[in-house]
Amino acid sequence: MDNVLYEYQFQILDYLPYFIPLAIGIVALFVRKPRGAKTGIRIMYLVFRVVGIAAIIIGIIVLSNAFHVHHDMKNALENDTALVVQGEIENYRFEEVGNGYYTESFEVNGIKFSNDFYDLPDEYVEENSTNGYFSGNGQKVLIKYIHYDSDNPDEEDTNNIVYAVQLE
């Protein structure tokens, strides 16, 4: 029987930080300047409003990008349109970068994958206390993933894992 290592799940708390700029922006728009305020106060009020509008714009952009990725991942899982690779894990690395932040990277048949964690994520189907989702080199897996081309030539393309199972 195959052992499910990872399955994409929507976690609303993962998106909570993206709402912070929106909240700051909304608060900034509703702050009223005092009547009879001096010029310095009016300028600070204007700057506060401009920063608020910028925060709303940034929040909308970041949230739309995050939900776009979520939509892609969800559709790939539900409609079985994800790319698939099957084989043994090679070049496996799992390391704590610091302060509870971990990275895990590896290749399967030349396709690179990388996961970043802060603490150990809720998406664990089978918790592995010493590693991330995967146990190391030689592990036989089937991975469904979405490939994203990088717009920056200095950055590598990314492969987001949608579903992974360990093969017997």
Side-chain angles (χ1 to χ4, degrees):
M1 181 172 156
D2 296 336
N3 182 23
V4 177
L5 299 171
Y6 175 83
E7 183 172 0
Y8 175 74
Q9 298 174 8
F10 178 75
Q11 301 288 329
I12 190 66
L13 293 178
D14 292 343
Y15 295 91
L16 195 57
Y18 299 127
F19 287 99
I20 293 172
L22 286 175
I24 291 170
I26 290 169
V27 167
L29 291 179
F30 287 102
V31 170
R32 301 185 80 137
K33 68 180 172 189
R35 291 186 181 183
K38 295 182 181 178
T39 305
I41 300 291
R42 283 190 221 156
I43 291 172
M44 285 179 24
Y45 168 77
L46 181 63
V47 168
F48 192 61
R49 276 244 153 116
V50 169
V51 168
I53 291 169
I56 289 173
I57 292 169
I58 290 169
I60 290 170
I61 291 170
V62 169
L63 263 176
S64 67
N65 184 48
F67 282 116
H68 172 72
V69 170
H70 162 69
H71 179 70
D72 287 352
M73 300 277 280
K74 181 180 167 212
N75 281 345
L77 189 59
E78 290 176 354
N79 300 325
D80 206 24
T81 57
L83 300 170
V84 178
V85 64
Q86 181 175 333
E88 291 187 7
I89 291 179
E90 302 171 333
N91 302 320
Y92 181 84
R93 292 179 52 124
F94 180 84
E95 53 194 357
E96 182 176 1
V97 180
N99 297 330
Y101 184 74
Y102 301 88
T103 62
E104 173 182 62
S105 62
F106 59 92
E107 294 179 27
V108 177
N109 293 339
I111 299 171
K112 295 180 183 180
F113 297 96
S114 178
N115 298 312
D116 298 329
F117 315 114
Y118 184 75
D119 289 326
L120 293 177
D122 295 334
E123 295 96 29
Y124 274 97
V125 175
E126 178 178 304
E127 189 169 321
N128 186 336
S129 62
T130 58
N131 293 338
Y133 299 110
F134 305 92
S135 61
N137 290 324
Q139 183 181 19
K140 294 178 181 168
V141 294
L142 179 137
I143 297 175
K144 295 180 180 183
Y145 66 98
I146 298 174
H147 178 82
Y148 289 101
D149 292 323
S150 173
D151 294 334
N152 184 344
D154 296 332
E155 294 179 6
E156 290 187 4
D157 296 346
T158 58
N159 296 309
N160 290 0
I161 298 172
V162 177
Y163 183 79
V165 294
Q166 178 175 326
L167 303 174
E168 303 272 343

